[in-house]
Amino acid sequence: MPFADFQKSTAGAALPPGLGGPLRALWLDAAGRWDEAHEAAQAAGGADGAWVHAYLHRKEGDEMNAGYWYARAGQPAATGGLAAEWEAIARALLAKL
């Protein structure tokens, strides 16, 4: 799925079919459903799930917890804007599809 389509889909009421856990978590976050996004990221596991998990904790302002999850993901701790980070993660995960 192209990034533009994924991003547009977040304005809809239903998740696009076939999204894996990390992308599902990003979609839920963009839809304003942080708690569900957090649950999806936790359930996803793996480096991609940890990366989204880190982003979500950074978004909530828990830098220490975010740092733990960035390390688990093998990613450097983000320092830029949250929207830019969300896009970077989404693009990276969509490129794997």
Side-chain angles (χ1 to χ4, degrees), residues 30 85 88:
E85 182 181 9

Side-chain angles (χ1 to χ4, degrees), residues 29 51-59 82 85-86 89:
D29 173 63
W51 193 12
V52 176
H53 201 160
Y55 157 80
L56 290 168
H57 281 295
R58 180 172 174 249
K59 184 175 183 178
L82 290 168
E85 182 181 9
W86 185 93
I89 297 170

Side-chain angles (χ1 to χ4, degrees), residues 43-82:
D48 292 342
W51 193 12
V52 176
H53 201 160
Y55 157 80
L56 290 168
H57 281 295
R58 180 172 174 249
K59 184 175 183 178
E60 80 170 332
D62 188 348
E63 295 293 331
M64 183 181 290
N65 202 357
Y68 169 80
W69 288 103
Y70 283 118
R72 292 273 311 259
Q75 295 289 334
T79 58
L82 290 168

Side-chain angles (χ1 to χ4, degrees), residues 4-22:
D5 293 346
F6 178 71
Q7 188 174 37
K8 285 179 192 172
S9 77
T10 63
L15 283 156
L19 291 183

